[in-house]
Amino acid sequence: MDTTTPLATPRVAPRPAPTASEHAPAGTLGLARGSALYVASVLGTGVLALPGLATRVAGPASVLAVALVLVASVPLAGTFAALAARHPDRGGVASAVRVALGPTAARATGYWFYLGVCVGVPVVAVLGAEYVVAVVGADRGAVPVVAVALVVVPAVAVGLGVRVAGAVQLALTSLLLAAVVVVVAVAAPEASAERFTPFLSEGWSGVGSAVSLFVWAFAGWEVGTHVSADFRDPRRTVPAATGIALVVVGVAYLALQVTTVGVLGAEAGSGTVALLDLARTGAPAAGPVVVGVVAAIVTSGVLTAYLAAFANLGQALARDGDLPRPLAALSGRAGVPRRALAVTLVLSAAYLAVLVATGLDLEPFVRVHTSCMVAVYALGMVAALRLLPRGTVGWWLAAVATVLTGVLLVLAGASLVAPTLLALAAVAVALARRRRPPR
């Protein structure tokens, strides 16, 4: 992707000059910690369940599905990396949309992510808690308590600043990758080539179903745009971190899928989760403990990445007048958006309360999360086509990604009700502003 030509910035309506407290200090994230944030935002809860689910719907050809989704992730990841490198800002995709399409579209994009995608926080926490509770044999009533506990460390890390969060993320990502390597290493000797035949046991329709499952697994590339301003050298480090994350995530998912098929075959996913079955195959005594640790690490890593993104976006939206102005304040020498983080945690707690009240039914929350994510992707790709120099690698990646997000919008169908309502709220704010008397 091209990251050398200066950004041609279309005219936008001027906004009040930010106060000194709104300016974050120079970025501190280097390549290692930045790569860890990217890896954790993508290599998430999918490692716990998706290998087994994909094998169930596609058979051995689920390995092909992983490869296809990995290839399809390249234009999306590359486009977001090009945007983040050329236009680093806490607002992430919303800031790019503001420059390219104006304040109302940016406000809608910000609301989709901050209010809609944020629904995923309790979903991730509950998913991690479900596995931890299952592994230790506790009562399912403990799931909400464990879910809250899993949010504590990420929230504290983000509250201490991106440098601390990056260090925590580096440690968590290293532990996660080590755990994946251990599970694959202990289970791989039990693999058999016979379990890969017939390869297309469920036909091409099964491959398509597995692809749709792994879209969830490879989502998260937009998170890096929200912490792009925290990198020391965004133009060089963001593309490099994205490339490293693509390789690491791709190898991890492919290795897990090949091992799942080779060891478990058609029985994959028949137990609690495929990862647990793999661990039990290679190490019956220690396997469940390993999976419980992996579940906690995955949850903490994903939440650290997303809470940092939500806090930065909330601060940027307040800075631009789309959320209450006091949320734009930054705290301490590190310039941490603690007020925006606090609001994010309150919002997440409210969503968790609704989730508990509805019997921990995750499906409606997942639908809201994914539909808002797809909406963010769609406007983000349109903004990229306008902002990136025409004919460059980044621009062509955005063109391909625009087609892909168009397909995802069609597949979202009725789930687009949530982003539609949030977009109407953004338009309502714009209309209310126009009626205000000039100051």
Side-chain angles (χ1 to χ4, degrees), residues 18-19 21-23 90 314-321 323-331 336-340:
T19 63
S21 64
E22 294 171 319
H23 287 293
R90 289 180 183 270
Q315 188 273 337
L317 290 173
R319 176 199 67 195
D320 296 328
L323 287 177
R325 192 73 174 175
L327 296 184
L330 297 172
S331 305
V336 182
R338 287 177 184 151
R339 292 185 182 179

Side-chain angles (χ1 to χ4, degrees), residues 150-163:
L150 290 175
V151 179
V152 172
V153 171
V156 172
V158 174
L160 292 176
V162 70
R163 188 175 183 85

